[in-house]
Amino acid sequence: MTDNTTQQMSLLALGLTAQAGRNPDITGLSVDSREVKDGHLFFALPGAQVHGGAFIQYALRMGAAAVLTDAQGAEIAAEELAASDAALILTEDPRGALAQTASLWFGAHPDTVIAVTGTNGKTSVSTFARQIWVEMEQAAVNLGTTGVEGVWTHPLKHTTPEPITLHRALAAARAEGVSHVAMEASSHGLDQRRLDGVMLSAAGFSNFTQDHLDYHKTFEAYFDAKMGLFTRLLPEDGAAVINIDDPKGAEVVALCEERGIEVITVGRHPDARLHLHAQRFDATGQQILFDWQRGRFSARLNLIGGFQADNVLLAAGLCIASGSDAEEVFDTLPYLTTVRGRMQHAATRKNGGSVFVDYAHTPDAVATALQAMRPHVMGKLVAIVGAGGDRDAGKRPLMGAAAAEHADVVFVTDDNPRSEDPATIRAAVMEGAPEATEVGDRAESILRGVDALGPGDALLIAGKGHETGQTIGDDVLPFDDVEQASVAVSALDGDLI
Ligand SMILES: CC(=O)N[C@H]1[C@@H](OP(=O)(O)OP(=O)(O)OC[C@H]2O[C@@H](n3ccc(=O)[nH]c3=O)[C@H](O)[C@@H]2O)O[C@H](CO)[C@@H](O)[C@@H]1O[C@H](C)C(=O)N[C@@H](C)C(=O)N[C@H](CCC(=O)O)C(=O)O
Ligand SMILES: Nc1ncnc2c1ncn2[C@@H]1O[C@H](COP(=O)(O)OP(=O)(O)OP(=O)(O)O)[C@@H](O)[C@H]1O
Ligand SMILES: N[C@H](CCC[C@H](N)C(=O)O)C(=O)O
Ligand SMILES: [Mg+2]
């Protein structure tokens, strides 16, 4: 699908050669047969559920002028293809071809694009990179879970959009004058070649822990998908910025060095080139000391959570790796602001008890977020945790266990049960947190969590972050943790502080 209905391109201009059929001009690109229009090139992709070859017959009926698929897709639709004069383009890697074709169809993207991968921290790192650039007066956006944000905004359904949406958004960003983009590379996106065709200046690695095993099946396959960013997408003249505090960091460095890619290591590890030397916490943020090229620097971060300093330095490293001046980058750090739904202060009770909302939805993130709150909290730490339906089921008891280990009081509640039975999901989380209180209704659990706060206590509402809905079955009911925290405080204390 394209926005510009008058655009036409030959197969040749799109870098494609037809094995059979005529040689038409293409009027648009589609991956879904239901969206095909007259003259479109339909990509029949091997899917997780079904092969897109099964939909070639419908795409042809909708007027597709060309079909790109693999041998299996062509076999499924052999009869329909033989009876049609549509061009047939065969390739072993239709998803890669889709990405390359979408990049040619939509044209140039902003000059500087960086991408970050890792289980946790992608949205945070890409948002900080965008904030750094904007402070340096560059026209910048970040692109990922929270949509396109920055000097130009645009909603997105996926963390790494499929190539047609991605290249359309990148080309539109360029047309709006955007010069710098920081994007998230999700493991699904990498595995499905969604970002192939994007010319990266630099790529970052935050960390590697459990998530998405429902899709990737094994840790090895999950890691390999992520490594595609460094082994396939990042050009040899690009630079990699790698957190070497993560146990997998050294492996990522080795993969980059094998290709002769310049590496900037980041972390608390003494060997890190951008080295976090010390951190001191207070009620509203932290002071950090760090080293770069034999110089020592200090900065005040108005951000809660020790791990945010790791994310900030990774973002700073990516800006430096893609051409910004290091000292100018460091000067922006005191101006960075909380990323929506990440350790976001949501409300304070009259007695001083405070409420934070965080997007922790993996075992490691739950542990990290709760540990990060400790130095800022004098009293007890209360956690509300739940796990999503139709997602990695193995992480559920581990998320419960992380909450039980790092909080003093735990409530287990619902977080987007989707097609699954919410009680079954909660039971799995409770396996890891047998002492926790189970309160299925999320609003009620927030009310109970806020009610449990005394002076000096804090509540972490984990899992939904910036989300504004609770997905139950196919319905998305409006739900916002930040809003519910305020509602609970005003219900209990009479008015808001
Ligand atoms: C599991 C997954 O990633 N699925 C993606 C995949 O779909 P699929 O392989 O399951 O598709 P399928 O249902 O088997 O169908 C095969 C093909 O037939 C086509 N089709 C299907 C039906 C029809 O009538 N006509 C038709 O042409 C489909 O468009 C598809 O191309 O390929 C599609 C086309 O590229 C994607 O849109 C789709 O993303 C779905 C919507 C999705 O929800 N993905 C999520 C899990 C995701 O990608 N999340 C990541 C991670 C977020 C994080 O880090 O936490 C993200 O980047 O957002
Ligand atoms: N560097 C980090 N190390 C460990 N945990 C982190 C780190 N950064 C963020 N987190 C935790 O992970 C949560 C999600 O952070 P963020 O949204 O930046 O990650 P993401 O990788 O974009 O997630 P998604 O896979 O949903 O796109 C945060 O709310 C926090 O709890
Ligand atoms: N992008 C993540 C978000 C999870 C957030 C949590 N609220 C859930 O629904 O599990 C995923 O789709 O796995
Ligand atoms: Mg994200």
Side-chain angles (χ1 to χ4, degrees):
M1 233 188 359
T2 75
D3 302 322
N4 180 353
T5 46
T6 58
Q7 184 175 343
Q8 292 207 354
M9 283 177 84
S10 66
L11 288 179
L12 186 69
L14 291 169
L16 302 170
T17 313
Q19 270 88 354
R22 62 201 166 90
N23 197 3
D25 276 349
I26 297 302
T27 61
L29 315 179
S30 305
V31 285
D32 190 316
S33 57
R34 292 161 290 197
E35 291 175 2
V36 170
K37 295 201 171 53
D38 242 355
H40 271 203
L41 166 55
F42 174 63
F43 292 83
L45 307 173
Q49 314 292 329
V50 50
H51 197 295
F55 304 103
I56 291 176
Q57 52 176 317
Y58 303 111
L60 292 172
R61 265 186 246 160
M62 300 280 278
V67 172
L68 184 150
T69 191
D70 57 13
Q72 198 188 342
E75 199 183 310
I76 295 170
E79 238 173 77
E80 291 85 358
L81 284 166
S84 153
D85 68 349
L88 173 65
I89 302 132
L90 281 175
T91 165
E92 280 175 15
D93 178 13
R95 286 188 184 270
L98 164 64
Q100 299 296 344
T101 309
S103 89
L104 289 169
W105 178 267
F106 288 102
H109 57 58
D111 288 338
T112 305
V113 183
I114 62 162
V116 56
T117 197
T119 307
N120 294 306
K122 300 181 294 295
T123 301
S124 306
V125 171
S126 51
T127 305
F128 290 138
R130 180 261 298 171
Q131 290 185 5
I132 290 171
W133 281 325
V134 169
E135 284 298 328
M136 293 171 64
E137 295 182 357
Q138 306 288 351
V141 295
N142 56 286
L143 185 159
T145 316
T146 47
V148 181
E149 296 184 311
V151 297
W152 180 67
T153 57
H154 185 75
L156 293 172
K157 281 203 206 100
H158 289 105
T159 290
T160 303
E162 47 85 21
I164 298 177
T165 309
L166 175 62
H167 284 283
R168 180 195 286 132
L170 288 173
R174 186 181 172 103
E176 293 291 327
V178 171
S179 57
H180 287 64
V181 179
M183 66 176 292
E184 294 180 51
S186 71
S187 59
H188 294 77
L190 288 163
D191 185 54
Q192 293 168 20
R193 306 282 190 268
R194 293 182 200 160
L195 330 65
D196 288 30
V198 178
M199 305 286 285
L200 295 174
S201 306
F205 170 77
S206 61
N207 48 55
F208 180 76
T209 59
Q210 177 168 353
D211 203 5
H212 304 311
L213 293 185
D214 52 324
Y215 178 86
H216 297 286
K217 311 295 180 214
T218 65
F219 276 95
E220 290 71 27
Y222 178 35
F223 186 68
D224 286 350
K226 291 209 168 291
M227 287 309 98
L229 182 60
F230 304 96
T231 57
R232 188 179 74 248
L233 283 175
L234 184 63
E236 275 160 19
D237 61 355
V241 186
I242 297 166
N243 167 26
I244 54 166
D245 293 340
D246 188 273
K248 287 283 191 187
E251 215 173 308
V252 188
V253 171
L255 286 171
C256 292
E257 284 177 347
E258 263 169 42
R259 294 185 59 215
I261 286 172
E262 187 202 337
V263 172
I264 296 180
T265 51
V266 183
R268 294 152 201 264
H269 193 288
D271 293 344
R273 271 177 73 190
L274 183 53
H275 170 229
L276 180 57
H277 179 70
Q279 244 172 329
R280 201 183 63 227
F281 301 103
D282 56 50
T284 57
Q286 53 196 292
Q287 190 73 30
I288 59 168
L289 277 183
F290 58 99
D291 306 316
W292 169 253
Q293 315 275 53
R294 288 186 214 93
R296 173 144 303 170
F297 299 83
S298 83
R300 155 113 202 134
L301 299 180
N302 293 308
L303 302 165
I304 297 284
F307 68 86
Q308 290 295 33
D310 305 280
N311 290 339
V312 164
L313 287 191
L314 188 56
L318 282 162
C319 293
I320 296 166
S322 57
S324 299
D325 175 76
E327 297 204 12
E328 278 182 47
V329 167
F330 300 152
D331 285 344
T332 68
L333 303 188
Y335 303 100
L336 301 183
T337 55
T338 308
V339 179
R340 201 150 50 99
R342 276 74 181 161
M343 303 302 276
Q344 180 179 348
H345 179 235
T348 305
R349 290 200 65 173
K350 273 188 177 157
N351 65 15
S354 53
V355 187
F356 288 84
V357 166
D358 185 72
Y359 198 44
H361 55 267
T362 68
D364 179 62
V366 171
T368 304
L370 287 167
Q371 281 172 304
M373 281 183 73
R374 277 285 178 206
H376 303 273
V377 179
M378 308 279 285
K380 67 177 185 300
L381 191 48
V382 183
I384 295 179
V385 65
D390 303 335
R391 295 286 185 273
D392 189 348
K395 72 180 178 181
R396 294 170 188 168
L398 303 176
M399 288 172 71
E405 186 182 344
H406 298 288
D408 304 304
V409 178
V410 178
F411 292 89
V412 171
T413 191
D414 291 343
D415 180 354
N416 296 332
R418 303 192 175 87
S419 74
E420 288 192 60
D421 171 26
T424 310
I425 302 174
R426 288 197 303 273
V429 178
M430 292 289 296
E431 270 175 45
E435 309 286 307
T437 307
E438 185 178 335
V439 185
D441 182 85
R442 195 168 177 94
E444 189 191 333
S445 81
I446 292 174
L447 187 67
R448 302 260 306 256
V450 172
D451 192 32
L453 295 179
D457 294 346
L459 167 66
L460 181 81
I461 309 173
K464 294 189 90 63
H466 63 284
E467 291 178 359
T468 52
Q470 178 80 305
T471 307
I472 304 173
D474 288 331
D475 298 326
V476 184
L477 309 177
F479 198 98
D480 183 325
D481 282 350
V482 173
E483 201 175 276
Q484 288 300 322
S486 294
V487 168
V489 168
S490 74
L492 291 161
D493 292 352
D495 53 21
L496 294 179
I497 285 190

